[in-house]
Amino acid sequence: MSKTLLALKPFRPDQLTQLATQYPTLTVITPETLKPSDVDTINILYGYRQGTKRHSDLLNQLLASDSSQLQWIQSLSAGVDSLPFEALAAKHILVTTASGTHENSIAQNVLGYLLYFERGLQQAIQAQAQRHYGIDTTKVSNLDDKTILIFGTGHVGQKIAQIAAAFGMHVLGVSHSGRPKAGFETIATDQDYQPLLAKADYLVNIMPLTAETTHFFDKAFFDQLTTQPLFVNVGRGPSVDETALISALDKVQIKAAALDVFETEPLPLESPLWNYPNVLITPHTSGYVAHFKKAFFKIFEPNLAQFMKDGTLIRNQVDLSRRY
Amino acid sequence: MSKTLLALKPFRPDQLTQLATQYPTLTVITPETLKPSDVDTINILYGYRQGTKRHSDLLNQLLASDSSQLQWIQSLSAGVDSLPFEALAAKHILVTTASGTHENSIAQNVLGYLLYFERGLQQAIQAQAQRHYGIDTTKVSNLDDKTILIFGTGHVGQKIAQIAAAFGMHVLGVSHSGRPKAGFETIATDQDYQPLLAKADYLVNIMPLTAETTHFFDKAFFDQLTTQPLFVNVGRGPSVDETALISALDKVQIKAAALDVFETEPLPLESPLWNYPNVLITPHTSGYVAHFKKAFFKIFEPNLAQFMKDGTLIRNQVDLSRRY
């Protein structure tokens, strides 16, 4: 059956060739050539980016139209938390994430943060700026035999777990269901994880943003900590109450933090976080992939093959009621 | 048979208890309590540190004495390159290294360096200092599918290889013999490694310092490079001709360097290396182990058990003719 795809994220030339060859009944259109009369022919939105007004305006227009043929939205990101979930569910529109595209990148950033703080690189960089040859080695440590507690045990959490294990770390996890996943010694639910905190040297958030995970890391959370772990957020900014985080830094409830996401992005100029010597800020780049178009297409293409056959999908589909 | 050990590196109290219990015929003496009349009773030097005058003076005294009972030197470091090898060989004195103590630390530093440069952490740290939220993501890259070429395939090289593979890297090696080792796709000899250079994104030196490896990384070496790899030295400083390295940086034959060791240590104030924005300097701390005494004893103890039985050793013994 013939389908029309709007490429909100452009394809590479070789990808267009592959699509034309493998899917002769698929028409690829682009925002630049989109005529108002074409809008209702769109079946697939490829590369939808939540938070981009041009994209959400188009989606709202499609959802408002009775003659819209929209069937499937391929999100550009691994997390989707600000979509019109109810309207999409009511119209039985499928949503897939880019989950799997970013997992290597995010896992590598997390290990980069840990090594930066633990292996004395932060100290060395500051010493180098002063032409000083020497660091306080009593503050240098190893990752092996340390314990990492990962909040979120999906694709990315599992990739972090896998690499952490290669470094000789003990890997614990927290998820909504607490279901066992490969690479974790123990997984607790988001209700009964507290006993794991006392074992953790590193806390890493990679949970999706939902009602339950909004401000999950709040004052009550930080007040439970006794081991001064390093805190890493590569999930979503609003999962952390930044006022509580700053207070945890002031009270040394955590020894340092590496933050890639923030309650407000870009991080406002007046945020106190900029100035903490034991806070490392990366500008929402942990998931950055050098060959993104290639990696993204690799996630999308098996779903397209299935979709062209029978209108179903085989991976990365969002449960619109759970919202992830 | 009763033996006397001089603890140049102090034991932990629990280690002294273990030694007293397991080896009742072993006498442990310390530099503080060492009487001139005791010197010739020493059988074992524990924790000998090359380059420490107090240690080399004592060793020279022992080597000069006809009544010395010295049988075994346990070096504090994994590399031994400035020992009186010929005199030791003439007296049949055994030498063991601390190889195995530092491998996790060094491997972790190497990965820390790669992630610092590749995952945009260097950029992010500079941006943070300016309260600037943003980095040039075209310069951010991943380690997966990259190729690491490790010069030196001993314990440390193998540990680097193992962790690099966990990140999805291709792992190539160079050693004197070219003998296959676990974790390497290919190992070339130090004579025929040149074809591997064109594949390498990262070059890591962890070779022992010998006549052959002194100034191994010289102008002719860097002139062969075509792929602008990242260069890492966690081996020995004199393996690199620093004048050639600086020229390679100026000519962008390498895109960056992470250096833990130097021709002269501490690195002199006037070295141009301090100022290169794409050079990361760590002050010979890549091998630093948080619980060194524990890790060092773990390497030593199985050898002691064997030595007390029959005067032989089971691991880490230096071939005094090869000098490593």
Side-chain angles (χ1 to χ4, degrees):
Chain A
M1 216 169 105
S2 73
K3 298 286 179 190
T4 296
L5 179 153
L6 177 67
L8 293 171
K9 179 79 183 176
F11 291 102
R12 289 157 41 119
D14 62 308
Q15 291 167 347
L16 284 172
T17 305
Q18 182 183 339
L19 290 175
T21 310
Q22 286 185 20
Y23 309 101
T25 60
L26 179 74
T27 304
V28 175
I29 59 176
T30 66
E32 293 70 32
T33 60
L34 181 68
K35 284 171 287 184
S37 58
D38 288 344
V39 169
D40 280 341
T41 70
I42 299 169
N43 304 111
I44 305 167
L45 279 183
Y46 177 79
Y48 182 89
R49 191 202 299 260
Q50 69 174 26
T52 297
K53 188 165 181 306
R54 174 167 75 79
H55 292 192
S56 53
D57 284 353
L58 173 65
L59 180 56
N60 289 334
Q61 182 187 343
L62 288 165
L63 289 173
S65 162
D66 286 337
S67 49
S68 165
Q69 302 295 314
L70 184 63
Q71 294 176 274
W72 172 22
I73 299 171
Q74 170 64 57
S75 160
L76 203 64
S77 62
V80 284
D81 40 59
S82 61
L83 295 180
F85 290 100
E86 287 174 20
L88 292 166
K91 295 213 165 191
H92 304 288
I93 294 169
L94 309 173
V95 176
T96 50
T97 69
S99 181
T101 316
H102 309 272
E103 60 196 38
N104 278 328
S105 302
I106 297 176
Q108 289 174 25
N109 259 55
V110 170
L111 270 297
Y113 301 146
L114 301 188
L115 292 165
Y116 170 74
F117 282 114
E118 293 288 71
R119 291 302 309 161
L121 301 188
Q122 183 190 33
Q123 285 194 69
I125 291 156
Q126 290 166 0
Q128 182 175 348
Q130 315 290 328
R131 294 192 176 218
H132 174 69
Y133 189 85
I135 59 174
D136 178 356
T137 51
T138 65
K139 292 183 180 158
V140 176
S141 189
N142 279 28
L143 304 190
D144 43 293
D145 286 332
K146 293 286 166 53
T147 297
I148 187 169
L149 176 57
I150 304 169
F151 291 79
T153 61
H155 284 115
V156 185
Q158 289 172 45
K159 177 56 77 173
I160 298 167
Q162 182 198 325
I163 297 185
F167 276 94
M169 282 187 252
H170 303 286
V171 182
L172 311 177
V174 176
S175 71
H176 190 57
S177 69
R179 267 195 299 272
K181 292 280 178 72
F184 290 86
E185 293 173 19
T186 303
I187 296 183
T189 74
D190 52 9
Q191 300 301 314
D192 64 7
Y193 66 87
Q194 289 81 359
L196 301 185
L197 291 177
K199 300 181 181 179
D201 300 289
Y202 314 123
L203 306 176
V204 178
N205 176 47
I206 183 61
M207 294 190 292
L209 186 63
T210 63
E212 287 86 6
T213 64
T214 298
H215 277 202
F216 183 93
F217 301 95
D218 58 5
K219 181 175 183 302
F221 177 87
F222 291 113
D223 280 349
Q224 303 170 86
L225 303 178
T226 56
T227 57
Q228 302 182 319
L230 176 64
F231 181 75
V232 175
N233 191 7
V234 285
R236 290 292 177 190
S239 291
V240 174
D241 175 345
E242 279 176 15
T243 306
L245 174 69
I246 287 165
S247 164
L249 284 162
D250 288 335
K251 291 190 251 173
V252 203
Q253 290 172 326
I254 55 177
K255 79 167 178 181
L259 307 171
D260 189 53
V261 289
F262 304 90
E263 285 198 83
T264 304
E265 294 179 14
L267 182 65
L269 259 180
E270 62 273 19
S271 170
L273 288 170
W274 288 111
N275 261 0
Y276 278 80
N278 54 342
V279 171
L280 174 60
I281 289 171
T282 56
H284 205 143
T285 49
S286 73
Y288 183 79
V289 180
H291 301 288
F292 179 79
K293 279 186 185 173
K294 208 169 150 188
F296 185 55
F297 187 74
K298 212 166 144 188
I299 299 292
F300 168 74
E301 206 274 331
N303 268 340
L304 180 66
Q306 189 68 35
F307 183 80
M308 295 303 282
K309 263 187 226 155
D310 61 10
T312 68
L313 301 170
I314 55 175
R315 64 173 287 185
N316 278 15
Q317 194 175 336
V318 174
D319 178 332
L320 295 173
S321 63
R322 287 195 312 170
R323 304 187 162 199
Y324 68 90
Chain B
M1 217 171 105
S2 71
K3 298 287 178 188
T4 297
L5 178 153
L6 178 68
L8 294 171
K9 178 80 182 174
F11 290 102
R12 288 156 44 118
D14 62 308
Q15 291 167 347
L16 284 172
T17 306
Q18 183 183 339
L19 291 175
T21 310
Q22 287 185 20
Y23 308 101
T25 60
L26 180 74
T27 304
V28 175
I29 58 177
T30 66
E32 292 70 31
T33 61
L34 181 68
K35 284 172 285 185
S37 58
D38 289 342
V39 169
D40 279 343
T41 69
I42 299 169
N43 305 111
I44 307 167
L45 279 183
Y46 178 77
Y48 182 89
R49 190 201 301 261
Q50 69 175 27
T52 298
K53 190 168 181 304
R54 174 167 75 79
H55 292 191
S56 54
D57 285 352
L58 173 66
L59 180 56
N60 288 335
Q61 183 188 342
L62 288 165
L63 289 173
S65 161
D66 285 338
S67 47
S68 164
Q69 301 296 315
L70 184 64
Q71 294 177 274
W72 173 21
I73 300 171
Q74 169 63 58
S75 159
L76 203 63
S77 63
V80 285
D81 39 59
S82 62
L83 295 180
F85 291 100
E86 288 174 18
L88 292 167
K91 296 214 163 192
H92 304 289
I93 294 169
L94 308 173
V95 177
T96 50
T97 69
S99 182
T101 316
H102 307 91
E103 61 197 38
N104 278 329
S105 303
I106 296 176
Q108 289 174 24
N109 259 55
V110 169
L111 269 297
Y113 301 146
L114 301 188
L115 292 164
Y116 170 74
F117 282 114
E118 293 289 71
R119 290 302 308 162
L121 301 188
Q122 184 190 32
Q123 285 192 69
I125 291 157
Q126 290 165 2
Q128 182 174 348
Q130 315 291 325
R131 294 193 175 217
H132 174 68
Y133 188 86
I135 59 175
D136 179 356
T137 51
T138 66
K139 292 182 180 160
V140 176
S141 190
N142 280 29
L143 303 191
D144 42 294
D145 286 333
K146 294 285 167 52
T147 297
I148 187 168
L149 176 57
I150 304 169
F151 292 79
T153 62
H155 284 115
V156 184
Q158 288 172 45
K159 176 58 76 173
I160 298 167
Q162 181 199 325
I163 297 186
F167 276 95
M169 282 188 252
H170 303 285
V171 182
L172 312 176
V174 176
S175 71
H176 190 58
S177 69
R179 267 195 298 273
K181 293 279 177 71
F184 290 86
E185 292 173 21
T186 304
I187 296 183
T189 74
D190 53 9
Q191 299 301 313
D192 65 7
Y193 67 87
Q194 289 81 359
L196 301 185
L197 291 176
K199 301 181 180 180
D201 300 290
Y202 314 122
L203 306 175
V204 178
N205 175 48
I206 183 62
M207 293 190 295
L209 185 64
T210 63
E212 287 86 6
T213 64
T214 298
H215 277 202
F216 184 93
F217 301 95
D218 60 4
K219 181 174 183 303
F221 176 87
F222 292 112
D223 280 349
Q224 303 171 84
L225 302 179
T226 55
T227 58
Q228 302 181 318
L230 175 63
F231 180 76
V232 176
N233 191 8
V234 284
R236 291 291 176 191
S239 291
V240 174
D241 175 345
E242 279 176 14
T243 306
L245 173 68
I246 287 165
S247 163
L249 285 162
D250 288 335
K251 291 190 251 172
V252 203
Q253 291 172 325
I254 56 177
K255 79 167 178 178
L259 307 171
D260 189 54
V261 289
F262 304 90
E263 286 197 84
T264 303
E265 294 179 14
L267 183 65
L269 260 180
E270 63 273 19
S271 170
L273 288 170
W274 288 110
N275 262 0
Y276 278 80
N278 53 341
V279 170
L280 173 59
I281 289 172
T282 56
H284 206 143
T285 48
S286 73
Y288 182 80
V289 179
H291 301 287
F292 178 79
K293 279 187 186 173
K294 207 169 149 186
F296 185 55
F297 187 74
K298 209 166 144 186
I299 299 293
F300 168 74
E301 206 274 334
N303 268 340
L304 180 66
Q306 189 67 35
F307 184 80
M308 294 304 283
K309 263 186 226 155
D310 62 11
T312 69
L313 302 170
I314 55 174
R315 63 173 287 186
N316 279 15
Q317 193 175 338
V318 175
D319 179 331
L320 295 173
S321 64
R322 288 195 311 169
R323 305 188 162 201
Y324 68 91

